[in-house]
Amino acid sequence: MPDIFQFILAGIVVGFCVGVTGVGGGSLMTPILIGLFKIEPHIAIGTDLLYAAISKFCGSMVHAKKLNIVWPIVGWLALGSIPASLGTSWVLEHILSGSNQYKAILTMVLGFMLTLTGISIVFRHRIEAFFKRHSKSTASAVELSREQIAQLVSRKKLQVIIMGMVLGVFVTLSSVGAGAFGVMALILMFANLPMIRIIGSDVVHAVALTLVAGLSHMSAGNVDFHLLGWLLVGSIPAIIVGTLVSSRMPEHLIRRVLGITLLLLGINFMINPVKAKPAAPKPQQHAQLIVSTSNVKA
């Protein structure tokens, strides 16, 4: 097992990236745990989900205090994501956990979500510009009152629920997508909303979703609390520092490097998924193997 210092350092690196760019929590932490520390995929994903819920909670409180949250969006997203997360957790625990392809499935889904997240970060401005050019709505975000926002959300509530279901499934399977991918989806659906309100709504929903998914993984024994504690020791101060210095950092460059890194990691996980180790022979089988080997030699 890696030293405690390495876990704290991983928390510092990921926390600083989150503080500077606003993304990278689950997207970076899970690949680091699997690829660098050789943590089993299901343990890495379960631990990272609770890590994300705790680390995002402080941010959600700030957004709530500044009234940056569109609660109808959070509610409709949760209506789709929470049941989808619980259903996915049940399938993982009762059906897929006994499969020889369990780890491969998790890492391939992780790779897929990392790839989507990387693309959404690298090409975010181009994607936004494309949808704005083809958007039928011309209202300015600043001009939208609370009642207008509520009406806008109500008209698109079915889309929001479906988006929540998609996030619920993939976040539970991979721990990735609640941040950057969730924000991108909301931008495309609500192009006229101020960016800060989209981010605030996404953060609050991400806290709820990752908490539910993390607790489900915890009930299945997929959370390493020792690992979780040391990651938080490093990341929470780093998130604060990263947030404070973010205005002085080349955020655009960091986002591009982060996006390309996630894209390459995602492709690697899809091409080379973590495979299950061969099951160790039972004592009785091992004894029979020794006897048969002795007979062959005789």
Side-chain angles (χ1 to χ4, degrees):
M1 289 289 289
D3 295 332
I4 290 173
F5 175 75
Q6 292 177 297
F7 289 144
I8 296 176
L9 182 61
I12 291 173
V13 171
V14 174
F16 186 77
C17 288
V18 172
V20 172
T21 67
V23 297
S27 305
L28 273 179
M29 186 60 78
T30 301
I32 287 174
L33 294 179
I34 296 174
L36 189 60
F37 295 146
K38 307 303 179 186
I39 305 294
E40 296 288 348
H42 57 291
I43 301 296
I45 290 170
T47 303
D48 183 50
L49 283 166
L50 281 186
Y51 162 82
I54 295 170
S55 61
K56 288 176 182 288
F57 179 74
C58 296
S60 69
M61 292 297 97
V62 173
H63 283 294
K65 186 177 180 179
K66 293 185 176 181
L67 303 178
N68 293 335
I69 302 166
V70 181
W71 289 106
I73 289 180
V74 177
W76 292 120
L77 277 173
L79 186 63
S81 66
I82 302 302
S85 175
L86 293 173
T88 304
S89 298
W90 186 91
V91 171
L92 279 176
E93 184 176 357
H94 294 90
I95 298 178
L96 292 181
S97 60
S99 170
N100 292 331
Q101 301 299 318
Y102 179 57
K103 296 177 184 178
I105 292 171
L106 289 180
T107 49
M108 287 184 70
V109 173
L110 171 62
F112 175 71
M113 291 304 296
L114 286 174
T115 302
L116 283 184
T117 302
I119 292 172
S120 70
I121 293 174
V122 174
F123 300 105
R124 172 172 167 175
H125 296 296
R126 294 184 183 181
I127 295 172
E128 288 179 29
F130 174 82
F131 276 87
K132 283 181 179 178
R133 285 198 304 269
H134 294 81
S135 175
K136 296 179 180 179
S137 177
T138 58
S140 171
V142 180
E143 297 173 356
L144 293 177
S145 65
R146 181 177 299 180
E147 291 74 18
Q148 289 174 316
I149 292 175
Q151 292 174 0
L152 177 62
V153 175
S154 180
R155 288 198 300 269
K156 298 188 176 184
K157 62 184 178 183
L158 181 59
Q159 299 175 40
V160 178
I161 292 173
I162 294 173
M163 189 65 232
M165 293 173 65
V166 173
L167 286 174
V169 171
F170 284 105
V171 170
T172 305
L173 286 174
S174 67
S175 78
V176 177
F181 188 64
V183 166
M184 178 56 63
L186 290 178
I187 289 173
L188 299 184
M189 283 192 286
F190 301 104
N192 294 324
L193 282 182
M195 179 59 66
I196 190 63
R197 304 204 68 180
I198 287 178
I199 293 174
S201 303
D202 179 73
V203 168
V204 173
H205 171 254
V207 171
L209 174 55
T210 53
L211 178 61
V212 169
L215 291 175
S216 297
H217 275 273
M218 183 182 73
S219 69
N222 294 343
V223 176
D224 185 331
F225 288 99
H226 177 265
L227 171 61
L228 174 63
W230 291 119
L231 292 176
L232 290 170
V233 166
S235 66
I236 291 179
I239 289 174
I240 296 172
V241 173
T243 303
L244 293 175
V245 303
S246 59
S247 60
R248 304 176 185 177
M249 299 288 290
E251 190 257 2
H252 178 70
L253 177 61
I254 294 174
R255 271 182 171 269
R256 185 169 293 274
V257 172
L258 177 62
I260 293 173
T261 302
L262 297 181
L263 182 60
L264 294 176
L265 284 171
I267 294 172
N268 176 66
F269 274 123
M270 286 193 291
I271 296 175
N272 302 302
V274 175
K275 297 180 180 178
K277 299 176 181 178
K282 296 180 180 178
Q284 184 178 0
Q285 294 174 334
H286 185 63
Q288 291 175 350
L289 181 63
I290 293 175
V291 172
S292 62
T293 305
S294 301
N295 291 337
V296 170
K297 289 181 178 179

